[in-house]
Amino acid sequence: MRCVITGVAGFIGSSLCDRLLAEGHEVRGIDCFVDYYPRLVKEANLAAAFKHPRFEFLEGDLLKADLGKILAGAEWVFHQAAQAGVRGSFGASFAGYVDNNILATQRLLECARVERSIRCFIYASSSSVYGDAETFPTPEDVIPKPVSPYGVTKLAAENLVSLYAREFGVPAVSLRYFTVFGPRQRPDMAFHRFIKAALNGEEIVIYGDGSQSRDFTFIADAIEANLLAAERGEPGQVFNIGGGVQATINHVLELLQSELGSLHVKRAIRQPGDARHTSADTSKARRLLGFCPRVGLAEGLHQEIEWLKTQAVKAGR
């Protein structure tokens, strides 16, 4: 297939790119390298792809780029690009979230509605749309109530995706990721911060008492969900993509301690926008897509630890 990935240099985008190339697909990737974390990290994510003959990279902003040209001839479109970060979405920075998460998605959908080659359009949504859900595990038909501006923008973009599927026949599907982790995880995300601090003998900062819980999803399972959705997803559908095991932050610390030894933990006040618990009901994705997560929390943490160790070696630490 001829594939387009937005946000191709990011954690999920680059991992998806490598999987598609390995399976024989052609990939055209676009990224604008927003300064949320260092450009060098993102370029390293694409080190293998840059050497691949079936990979084409375009640096550009979805708000300004010629999207018709970028989508021309594409069969699978994976819209992974977004302004990430729950805590940073409050205040003056919210404008960037509106631009990169809502307006950019709308521009992309406008081009997708007239590009007849497209067989599927996969939108990367988030469990943040649920906020503090009243039902656990949470099914897709629970009314979303985001507790952060970030979640509001992801839900708005998701609604645009459903609208364009319904009104214009864009073959679009939304995947609500639940806390994806593993090798290449963003530096601002919890597991990356915890492991890096532990490896460097530094404090691990926990916001809250650690009893908050998440449904953690290993990166390979999230990538598999994208391919399944491309092949089997029906336009307009929304799917939860979770790892199937809910765990508290305190339990995560116990697992890290078993691998890395004694940890120096500092507890700080809970931050605005953090949902208390998340837990994915993935029965719909299992039934309609055949989605079945295979990598558990302990195994996935081990893989992320080993990856971060190699990064430390490369950096000479």
Side-chain angles (χ1 to χ4, degrees):
M1 293 289 180
R2 294 184 298 276
C3 307
V4 168
I5 302 175
T6 69
V8 72
F11 169 35
I12 298 177
S14 64
S15 301
L16 175 60
C17 178
D18 285 350
R19 171 73 183 273
L20 290 170
L21 291 172
E23 295 197 357
H25 302 288
E26 298 175 17
V27 176
R28 178 182 298 151
I30 181 169
D31 205 293
C32 68
F33 294 105
V34 295
D35 59 3
Y36 190 68
Y37 60 98
R39 179 181 180 127
L40 288 176
V41 174
K42 300 173 190 176
E43 290 179 338
N45 289 342
L46 291 176
F50 281 139
K51 301 174 184 177
H52 205 289
R54 282 185 276 103
F55 178 65
E56 177 187 3
F57 177 73
L58 303 169
E59 181 172 350
D61 186 338
L62 294 178
L63 293 169
K64 302 174 183 176
D66 184 347
L67 299 184
K69 183 177 180 180
I70 291 169
L71 295 187
E75 295 167 283
W76 288 357
V77 177
F78 300 92
H79 181 29
Q80 305 292 322
Q83 178 60 57
V86 168
R87 296 169 191 143
S89 64
F90 290 88
S93 62
F94 180 63
Y97 286 78
V98 172
D99 287 345
N100 294 320
N101 296 356
I102 302 176
L103 298 180
T105 300
Q106 191 270 344
R107 283 198 79 220
L108 202 61
L109 288 165
E110 276 292 319
C111 290
R113 66 182 279 203
V114 297
E115 180 51 63
R116 298 302 178 186
S117 64
I118 295 176
R119 300 186 182 187
C120 74
F121 181 108
I122 308 301
Y123 170 65
S125 188
S126 168
S127 61
S128 292
V129 303
Y130 290 119
D132 288 315
E134 297 177 0
T135 303
F136 296 99
T138 307
E140 290 86 350
D141 58 4
V142 163
I143 297 175
K145 296 179 181 179
V147 294
S148 69
Y150 166 77
V152 169
T153 62
K154 294 300 285 184
L155 180 58
E158 185 184 294
N159 284 332
L160 282 170
V161 170
S162 297
L163 170 66
Y164 275 74
R166 182 175 65 251
E167 295 297 326
F168 302 113
V170 176
V173 173
S174 294
L175 303 181
R176 290 174 176 167
Y177 298 145
F178 280 69
T179 314
V180 182
F181 73 104
R184 298 186 191 171
Q185 190 184 44
R186 295 196 323 265
D188 64 297
M189 297 186 75
F191 288 5
H192 188 125
R193 291 190 296 104
F194 295 173
I195 296 167
K196 185 175 180 180
L199 292 174
N200 292 335
E202 299 168 350
E203 282 186 338
I204 295 175
V205 179
I206 303 296
Y207 296 104
D209 61 7
S211 64
Q212 63 268 40
S213 64
R214 296 288 182 270
D215 192 330
F216 297 106
T217 313
F218 189 65
I219 180 63
D221 290 325
I223 298 309
E224 179 68 16
N226 275 268
L227 270 64
L228 290 170
E231 295 168 350
R232 306 177 187 179
E234 295 184 6
Q237 292 286 349
V238 176
F239 296 97
N240 287 337
I241 302 301
V245 178
Q246 188 180 18
T248 66
I249 298 301
N250 286 331
H251 179 59
V252 170
L253 294 175
E254 291 172 2
L255 292 174
L256 291 178
Q257 186 161 292
S258 69
E259 287 229 19
L260 299 171
S262 181
L263 306 177
H264 306 289
V265 178
K266 176 183 178 181
R267 299 187 186 273
I269 190 170
R270 174 189 171 275
Q271 298 294 293
D274 285 345
R276 184 66 182 166
H277 304 289
T278 68
S279 177
D281 180 342
T282 59
S283 56
K284 180 179 177 182
R286 290 173 184 267
R287 184 176 72 255
L288 298 182
L289 302 181
F291 172 68
C292 182
R294 301 184 183 280
V295 181
L297 179 58
E299 180 184 347
L301 275 173
H302 175 74
Q303 291 193 38
E304 185 164 350
I305 289 168
E306 293 305 306
W307 172 74
L308 275 166
K309 285 180 178 178
T310 66
Q311 301 308 297
V313 169
K314 289 177 181 177
R317 295 194 297 270

